[in-house]
């Protein structure tokens, strides 16, 4: 008896191209992926805390200009963060840095006023 079953031909596996050492070195020199701006980002916290403290001190000394100085604290945070990391920030990330600065301002005032009372 002759077996008339169809013959299945499997394709040959594709060979992967080899990576040259120059390509590997170029891939390892790629810039790191930036971390999102949050409390878990150490660079953002290290930029927001001193900017918040300085904005609070300047606004306490120059009380009539308190609101513009507090806003300038957020701008100063963006300046410090860009200087530390070299990253170009989007508007959303700049707003997040300003939010972190405001959070630190609130916490410092909370502790100071609680100590006074």
């Amino acid at each position: 008896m002759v077996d008339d079953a169809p013959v299945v031909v499997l394709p040959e596996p594709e060979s992967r191209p080899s990576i040259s050492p120059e390509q590997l070195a170029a891939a390892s020199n790629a810039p790191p992926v930036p971390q999102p701006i949050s409390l878990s980002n150490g660079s953002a916290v290290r930029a927001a805390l001193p900017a918040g403290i300085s904005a609070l001190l300047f606004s306490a000394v120059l009380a009539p200009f308190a609101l513009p100085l507090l806003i300038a604290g957020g701008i100063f945070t963006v300046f410090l963060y860009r200087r530390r990391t070299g990253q170009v920030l989007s508007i959303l990330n700049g707003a997040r840095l300003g939010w972190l600065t405001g959070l630190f301002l609130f916490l410092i005032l909370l502790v100071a006023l609680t100590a006074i009372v």
Side-chain angles (χ1 to χ4, degrees), residues 41-95:
N41 185 342
S43 297
V45 171
R46 283 190 298 273
L49 189 59
I53 292 171
S54 62
L56 182 65
L57 292 176
F58 280 124
S59 65
V61 172
L62 304 169
F65 304 107
L67 185 60
L69 288 172
L70 294 177
I71 293 171
I75 296 169
F76 186 54
T77 303
V78 171
F79 171 75
L80 288 177
Y81 184 79
R82 286 189 63 188
R83 199 169 107 191
R84 286 177 190 258
T85 63
Q87 295 178 13
V88 177
L89 296 172
S90 66
I91 294 174
L92 179 63
N93 286 335

Side-chain angles (χ1 to χ4, degrees), residues 35-45 81 93 96-97 99-100:
Q35 289 183 342
I37 305 295
S38 65
L39 287 172
S40 62
N41 185 342
S43 297
V45 171
Y81 184 79
N93 286 335
R96 286 181 179 165
L97 279 173
W99 175 82
L100 281 176

